[in-house]
Amino acid sequence: KQLEYQKMEKEKKFEEKMKDLETIVNELESGEIDLDSSIEKYTQAMKLVKECDEKLKTVEEQVNKIVTENGTIEDFNIE
């Protein structure tokens, strides 16, 4: 069951992960969950932050590349 959960987590889109992260933050800020649950939620949140950060870096690298007229890929620089 844990393996299925991990597979589902990998298939989530960036926006879904951000929504999950927001939900976790709200739960932690409410102060209505016990310490063990808080630690579990915090760990889950840090995992989501890492995944989202990696995705943003990948997208940023893709966006910073442009295809020139002759079909070569170059870094995009704003001058």
Side-chain angles (χ1 to χ4, degrees), residues 8 12 16 28 30 35 37 39-41 51 54 56 59 61-62 69-71 73 75 77 79:
M8 282 180 18
K12 283 188 177 182
E16 293 170 324
L28 290 171
S30 75
L35 181 61
S37 294
I39 293 169
E40 186 179 315
K41 295 280 185 185
E51 290 172 4
E54 289 171 357
L56 284 175
V59 169
E61 289 172 7
Q62 291 171 345
E69 290 178 17
N70 64 7
I73 297 176
D75 287 332
N77 295 313
E79 298 178 4

Side-chain angles (χ1 to χ4, degrees):
K1 186 174 180 178
Q2 181 70 17
L3 189 59
E4 288 177 22
Y5 178 74
Q6 287 175 341
K7 186 177 179 183
M8 282 180 18
E9 283 295 308
K10 289 188 183 225
E11 294 174 1
K12 283 188 177 182
K13 292 184 178 184
F14 177 83
E15 293 80 7
E16 293 170 324
K17 290 179 182 181
M18 289 299 294
K19 186 172 176 73
D20 290 348
L21 186 56
E22 184 178 349
T23 300
I24 292 169
V25 169
N26 288 336
E27 289 174 354
L28 290 171
E29 287 179 342
S30 75
E32 295 179 8
I33 56 177
D34 61 55
L35 181 61
D36 289 336
S37 294
S38 294
I39 293 169
E40 186 179 315
K41 295 280 185 185
Y42 179 81
T43 303
Q44 186 180 2
M46 290 296 94
K47 180 180 173 221
L48 287 168
V49 166
K50 182 180 179 201
E51 290 172 4
C52 290
D53 185 56
E54 289 171 357
K55 179 67 174 175
L56 284 175
K57 285 179 183 173
T58 301
V59 169
E60 183 179 18
E61 289 172 7
Q62 291 171 345
V63 168
N64 286 335
K65 302 271 184 199
I66 62 168
V67 178
T68 62
E69 290 178 17
N70 64 7
T72 61
I73 297 176
E74 295 182 3
D75 287 332
F76 178 74
N77 295 313
I78 299 175
E79 298 178 4

